[in-house]
Amino acid sequence: DTEVTQTPKHLVMGMTNKKSLKCEQHMGHRAMYWYKQKAKKPPELMFVYSYEKLSINESVPSRFSPECPNSSLLNLHLHALQPEDSALYLCASSTSRGLELSADTQYFGPGTRLTVL
Amino acid sequence: QQPVQSPQAVILREGEDAVINCSSSKALYSVHWYRQKHGEAPVFLMILLKGGEQKGHEKISASFNEKKQQSSLYLTASQLSYSGTYFCGTVAGGTSYGKLTFGQGTILTVHP
C-alpha cells in the first residue's frame, strides 16, 4: 500500500482566514514533504520533515506553518494568505533511510486545491 | 538548479515510441521519473541512482548517464494510458538531502 491521503480536496479561503491542510500516511515512512504546484508548472518543494523534525525549509513565507505531530501526520497551517498562494498543495512521504533521503522514492498524495480570494 | 527536459511536448499514435530527456548542469546523485495526469497526483515511475544504471517498468524504461548528467525515459509501444505530463526530478550531490528538484515537464499525448 503506497497511499498518502490529503484533506480537504478543495479549499477556498479569504485573505484573513486561518485554515489547515492535513496529510496522512500509514506506510511507516519517516520523511514527509510539502510541495506547491501552480498550473502547468512542476511541483516546488516547500518543507521536508525527517523523523518528525523540520530538515528543509525552502525560504517559505511565515504565513505557511508546517507541523508534524507524529510520524504519520503532517499539517500545513495557513494564515493571511495572498491570492498568488492559490495552487495545488501536494504532500509526499518516503522511507528515509537515515541520511539517504536522496535515494528514496517519494509517494505523493492527491493534493489540496487551494483558492485564496 | 532546475533540470532541463526535452522535448516540451510529444504527440504520438498508439503503438509509437518516445524518448524524453532530462539534463542537469550539476553532478547528480539520483534521477526520479514521475507521470502526472491532469488534476491528479504525480505517480512514481522509477528512480535511478548514480552508477549509470538502466531500469525498466513494463514498457517504460530509463537510463542515467552519470558522466553527462543526463537521463532518458523510453516509452515503447505507447498506450492511451501513457498520456500525461512527465517530470524528471533530480537530487544533486552535495545538496540538502531529500531536495528533489523537478524539470519543467514534458506533455505526452497519445492518440488512438
Side-chain angles (χ1 to χ4, degrees):
Chain A
D1 183 11
T2 55
E3 190 179 25
V4 177
T5 59
Q6 289 187 243
T7 54
K9 283 190 176 181
H10 301 275
L11 179 63
V12 179
M13 61 186 289
M15 290 192 286
T16 59
N17 292 157
K18 283 186 182 181
K19 296 286 184 183
S20 296
L21 309 184
K22 180 179 169 183
C23 173
E24 205 160 0
Q25 57 88 13
H26 295 287
M27 296 178 278
H29 290 175
R30 299 311 298 269
M32 297 185 76
Y33 311 76
W34 280 116
Y35 287 85
K36 174 181 176 180
Q37 186 176 26
K38 301 281 268 184
K40 299 185 179 181
K41 296 290 186 183
E44 292 180 5
L45 183 67
M46 299 174 72
F47 303 103
V48 179
Y49 273 84
S50 179
Y51 288 84
E52 293 126 66
K53 286 189 167 57
L54 183 65
S55 60
I56 297 178
N57 176 342
E58 286 290 292
S59 303
V60 178
S62 60
R63 57 185 184 269
F64 294 92
S65 175
E67 179 198 18
C68 190
N70 59 58
S71 60
S72 300
L73 195 54
L74 185 66
N75 298 319
L76 186 63
H77 303 297
L78 314 172
H79 174 54
L81 294 193
Q82 304 296 311
E84 59 265 28
D85 296 323
S86 298
L88 180 68
Y89 287 84
L90 293 162
C91 172
S93 70
S94 69
T95 54
S96 177
R97 304 166 215 160
L99 292 178
E100 290 300 318
L101 285 182
S102 304
D104 274 1
T105 296
Q106 294 185 26
Y107 296 96
F108 285 83
T112 293
R113 188 158 300 281
L114 174 69
T115 303
V116 182
L117 301 176
Chain B
Q1 192 167 356
Q2 186 180 40
V4 177
Q5 287 184 234
S6 63
Q8 288 188 313
V10 183
I11 298 175
L12 300 173
R13 293 234 175 255
E14 265 188 301
E16 292 181 337
D17 302 340
V19 180
I20 300 172
N21 301 302
C22 174
S23 65
S24 173
S25 58
K26 290 190 169 187
L28 297 177
Y29 186 89
S30 59
V31 180
H32 308 230
W33 284 98
Y34 287 83
R35 175 173 60 214
Q36 186 176 30
K37 293 182 183 281
H38 182 68
E40 298 181 9
V43 173
F44 170 74
L45 295 176
M46 63 193 75
I47 181 173
L48 301 107
L49 305 180
K50 65 178 183 179
E53 61 182 38
Q54 183 155 357
K55 284 200 167 186
H57 177 75
E58 296 179 345
K59 293 180 183 174
I60 301 174
S61 61
S63 63
F64 177 22
N65 185 322
E66 189 182 339
K67 286 185 181 177
K68 293 185 178 180
Q69 305 307 323
Q70 290 176 352
S71 178
S72 294
L73 185 71
Y74 307 94
L75 301 111
T76 57
S78 59
Q79 305 167 13
L80 295 176
S81 61
Y82 285 6
S83 293
T85 301
Y86 289 77
F87 291 104
C88 69
T90 57
V91 178
T95 57
S96 302
Y97 58 88
K99 182 171 179 180
L100 193 58
T101 304
F102 287 95
Q104 79 278 20
T106 296
I107 301 171
L108 180 76
T109 306
V110 181
H111 291 297

